[in-house]
Amino acid sequence: MEHRITLRVDGSERSVTVDARTTLLDALRERLGVTSPKKGCDHGQCGACTVLLDGRRQLSCLTFALAHDGDQVITAEGVGEALGDGGLHPVQQAFIEQDAFQCGYCTPGQVCSAVGMLDEAAAGHPSHVTDDLVPPETPGVPVPLDDDEIRERMSGNLCRCGAYVNIVAALRGTAVAPREAS
């Protein structure tokens, strides 16, 4: 059975008819022609399909499009436009400056994941390597992003070209300010 859904993709409202089994990735690529999210492993293991779904990182190959009727989807094509000035997002600029681009297949997912993880760290969400957890009564204190934090938070995105060192350097420059002493 087919369903008509509407997604707000990179700032534009787009309607599409999908089968209930259509993944968000397939709806974007095959139905809407948005090709920056890549189909890598198609099992949620490589991160090439990462998009920002209502501001949070999401592996688009692991979610059904129908479940996101009315949601906002930001791809690597739209992260700069989401800031409202039409330019590059600071993460994209940092990737250029630090030569952090790979062959292009995993880069869009890396960029979306980086934008999402910077927001998560700025909001105080801990990772597995966060040493100093914020007490629950003071949420929202940014987590400082050292190299271990960046590596852990980006570990869901694989780079087959081996450019991880440059990705960490690029993200180090766009990281949030250190956590203030409480």
Side-chain angles (χ1 to χ4, degrees), residues 2-3 14-19 22-34:
E2 301 243 321
H3 303 273
R14 310 277 303 270
S15 293
V16 64
T17 301
V18 295
D19 181 277
T22 304
T23 65
L24 179 60
L25 176 62
D26 287 341
L28 290 169
R29 289 187 59 83
E30 297 173 10
R31 306 287 173 87
L32 296 174
V34 179

Side-chain angles (χ1 to χ4, degrees), residues 85-157:
D85 63 3
L88 294 175
H89 188 280
V91 167
Q92 293 170 313
Q93 187 64 44
F95 268 55
I96 292 170
E97 292 169 3
Q98 296 293 326
D99 193 24
F101 289 104
Q102 301 85 52
C103 66
Y105 207 80
C106 68
T107 298
Q110 297 269 7
V111 167
C112 285
S113 188
V115 170
M117 81 90 176
L118 289 171
D119 290 345
E120 292 164 11
H125 298 197
S127 77
H128 285 292
V129 298
T130 302
D131 287 334
D132 185 20
L133 297 180
V134 174
E137 62 273 8
T138 58
V141 177
V143 175
L145 290 174
D146 59 20
D147 289 358
D148 288 341
E149 279 281 350
I150 293 170
R151 286 186 186 100
E152 171 60 24
R153 291 172 185 270
M154 294 296 293
S155 64
N157 291 77

Side-chain angles (χ1 to χ4, degrees), residues 6 9 20 27 37 41 43 48 53 63 71 75 81 83 104 112 124 126 128 132 141 152 158 165 170-171 173 175-176:
T6 300
V9 181
C41 66
H43 290 87
L53 186 60
T63 190
D71 289 352
T75 70
E81 294 172 14
L83 297 176
C112 285
H128 285 292
D132 185 20
V141 177
E152 171 60 24
L158 302 178
V165 173
L171 298 180
V176 296

